[in-house]
Amino acid sequence: MKSLQPVRGTHDLLPDAFRRHRHVAGRAKAIAEAYGYLEMATPIFEFTDVFKRTLGDTSDVVSKEMYSFADRGGEEVTLRPENTAGVCRAVMSNGLRQSLPVKFFYDGPMFRYERPQKGRQRQFHQIGVELIGVEGPLGDVEVIALGAHILKGLGILDKTTLELNTLGDQDSRAAYRAVLVDYFTARHAQLSEDSRNRLERNPLRILDSKDEGDRRLVADAPSFQEYLTPAAKDFFAAVTAGLDAVGIAYRINPRLVRGLDYYCHSAFEFTTTELGAQGTVLAGGRYDGLIEMMGGPATPGVGWAAGIERLAMMVADVAPPARAVAVVPVGVAAELEALKLTQSLRHAGFAADLGYSGNLGRRLKRADRIGARVAVILGDDELARGAAMVRDLDTGDQAEVSLSALQDHLARFR
């Protein structure tokens, strides 16, 4: 039945997949904390205006991909398609501008109505960091270094390439915008419908277009580097010098852009060839104009986000949890003692699983199915002697062990 299937573009995280998922998020969190980034969370939905004001009506996210609806109170709300806007909203809502700079790490689900494919779902999960209140290039270097450190900690940095570009300052963008308008206006008929709509409102977004015809035009468009101000060139030079100083390799990609108005200076992506078309695994940039666009004062910011699903597909096998001690009662009289023993083992730090029902053979099959390391068999005769039968499920060897010495005996099977 259709109703018994997950909604298209969503998926269940069953234990094996979830173990990889939490490995990615947990490793990233630990490394981020070493850089002083503290974990926080924003609501999964926000007022729609939080995203419309920042992402813009002409962006694909707002015009095609957001899950927006009116709640029962008539408020327009949206499931978050990304988390930077929500974090910046939280900085403003909670009066955190008085404590700048602030450094945040997050992980959680995001929602976009896109065509599902490998590494891309409609409900997906991201880790991310935001450094708000640092205007100098050292902030850019730090967040990029943190991203590289996390990828290295996951064992996949050598499978990625850091692509880097500068989007310049406001004067640089204004000069480049004028040139782009002239260039694309002369080729108006060749543009896709979406790019024609963007031409007047934000021509830089054309550079983000996925349309093949647009991409051919973009390939011959004037280069941003020709219109950078001296200050913008100096900022980018400081970023590259910082990356060189800490030994992070990068490749300059002059076509790497962020079309949104609030982005400036550094734009970067860690890309891979291992995931097919979904080659970007971590991406970010500087967004000094975002909080101002939301109605606050000019506040510098830089950060990145990475898809947990994509990272999880790249990491090596994650170690499974500790193999359990299976406590197997034989007969009704032993079940209460088995329950008490199982709890005592758990409180002593063992992973322990209770065989709930069935005969001895059935309960041992369950122990084998869950990958238990050892079985503790409790029967009437053993209990009368204050003992249990301990069976090594890997070798089949077994021995009777007194209950008083049981925990010490089981320590070898941890």
Side-chain angles (χ1 to χ4, degrees):
M1 294 176 58
K2 182 177 180 181
S3 62
L4 296 182
Q5 299 300 315
V7 175
R8 184 168 185 250
T10 67
H11 61 285
D12 300 308
L13 283 170
L14 298 179
D16 285 346
F18 196 78
R19 187 168 64 248
R20 298 172 71 87
H21 181 106
R22 294 315 304 170
H23 170 72
V24 169
R27 189 78 183 103
K29 176 187 172 184
I31 294 172
E33 285 180 343
Y35 283 65
Y37 288 74
L38 302 180
E39 188 172 22
M40 62 93 73
T42 62
I44 287 177
F45 56 91
E46 300 267 2
F47 289 122
T48 299
D49 199 41
V50 169
F51 304 111
K52 277 194 172 183
R53 289 179 65 176
T54 57
L55 298 176
D57 291 337
T58 61
S59 70
D60 284 348
V61 175
V62 171
S63 63
K64 301 177 182 179
E65 298 170 4
M66 292 203 319
Y67 283 92
S68 300
F69 56 94
D71 66 12
R72 292 187 177 185
E75 301 282 6
E76 287 292 329
V77 296
T78 295
L79 299 179
R80 61 187 184 196
E82 57 86 37
N83 210 30
T84 300
V87 172
C88 288
R89 192 272 310 146
V91 168
M92 297 171 63
S93 300
N94 293 281
L96 299 181
R97 287 199 72 264
Q98 309 305 315
S99 304
L100 297 181
V102 292
K103 306 167 80 169
F104 292 129
F105 168 85
Y106 62 82
D107 83 88
M110 312 293 160
F111 305 85
R112 293 189 187 187
Y113 189 86
E114 298 184 289
R115 183 172 63 86
Q117 53 187 291
K118 180 181 179 181
R120 174 178 286 179
Q121 297 289 324
R122 291 176 177 174
Q123 177 179 315
F124 57 101
H125 300 80
Q126 287 185 336
I127 54 172
V129 300
E130 312 295 348
L131 172 58
I132 300 173
V134 175
E135 61 183 357
L138 286 181
D140 305 55
V141 175
E142 180 178 279
V143 298
I144 295 172
L146 173 52
H149 196 158
I150 288 172
L151 296 178
K152 183 177 181 180
L154 293 172
I156 60 176
L157 180 61
D158 60 353
K159 300 177 183 179
T160 68
T161 299
L162 171 58
E163 299 187 12
L164 181 68
N165 193 25
T166 175
L167 304 178
D169 52 20
Q170 191 173 39
D171 290 341
S172 304
R173 289 168 70 85
Y176 187 52
R177 176 190 173 107
V179 171
L180 276 187
V181 169
D182 289 343
Y183 174 80
F184 286 121
T185 297
R187 295 157 180 81
H188 188 272
Q190 302 172 55
L191 290 172
S192 67
E193 183 177 354
D194 282 344
S195 290
R196 290 175 193 166
N197 293 333
R198 292 169 177 160
L199 181 56
E200 293 183 5
R201 304 176 71 174
N202 191 341
L204 267 70
R205 288 185 182 156
I206 298 175
L207 303 178
D208 289 331
S209 175
K210 304 300 185 291
D211 179 85
E212 288 301 320
D214 290 343
R215 292 172 73 90
R216 285 192 291 271
L217 294 177
V218 168
D220 294 327
S223 171
F224 203 158
Q225 276 62 32
E226 299 174 20
Y227 300 91
L228 293 175
T229 64
K233 291 178 180 178
D234 289 345
F235 192 102
F236 191 54
V239 171
T240 56
L243 294 175
D244 291 338
V246 295
I248 296 176
Y250 55 88
R251 180 175 70 86
I252 303 297
N253 177 359
R255 296 302 182 190
L256 175 62
V257 300
R258 296 283 184 268
L260 302 178
D261 288 338
Y262 55 75
Y263 279 109
C264 61
H265 293 301
S266 304
F268 55 89
E269 293 182 353
F270 286 87
T271 62
T272 186
T273 59
E274 298 205 351
L275 298 178
Q278 303 305 315
T280 300
V281 296
L282 185 155
R286 177 165 283 276
Y287 49 84
D288 289 355
L290 178 52
I291 287 181
E292 187 174 12
M293 186 174 289
M294 298 176 78
T299 307
V302 58
W304 54 255
I308 295 178
E309 283 85 355
R310 296 183 190 181
L311 295 173
M313 286 190 287
M314 296 178 66
V315 300
D317 289 339
V318 178
R323 295 174 67 185
V325 174
V327 180
V328 181
V330 181
V332 176
E335 289 188 353
L336 187 59
E337 292 302 318
L339 174 62
K340 291 163 57 179
L341 175 60
T342 304
Q343 282 298 92
S344 69
L345 289 173
R346 289 166 176 162
H347 283 288
F350 292 89
D353 185 87
L354 177 62
Y356 301 106
S357 61
N359 58 27
L360 176 62
R362 183 175 178 181
R363 297 190 199 208
L364 286 174
K365 283 183 178 179
R366 169 179 165 78
D368 191 53
R369 186 170 67 252
I370 66 171
R373 177 66 182 85
V374 63
V376 177
I377 302 170
L378 294 174
D380 292 341
D381 292 343
E382 289 84 7
L383 287 173
R385 294 190 294 272
M389 190 66 68
V390 178
R391 180 180 297 183
D392 185 329
L393 294 177
D394 287 353
T395 68
D397 296 337
Q398 64 182 34
E400 185 172 286
V401 179
S402 69
L403 294 177
S404 62
L406 183 61
Q407 290 189 15
D408 289 339
H409 182 83
L410 292 175
R412 73 187 70 177
F413 297 106
R414 284 186 184 272

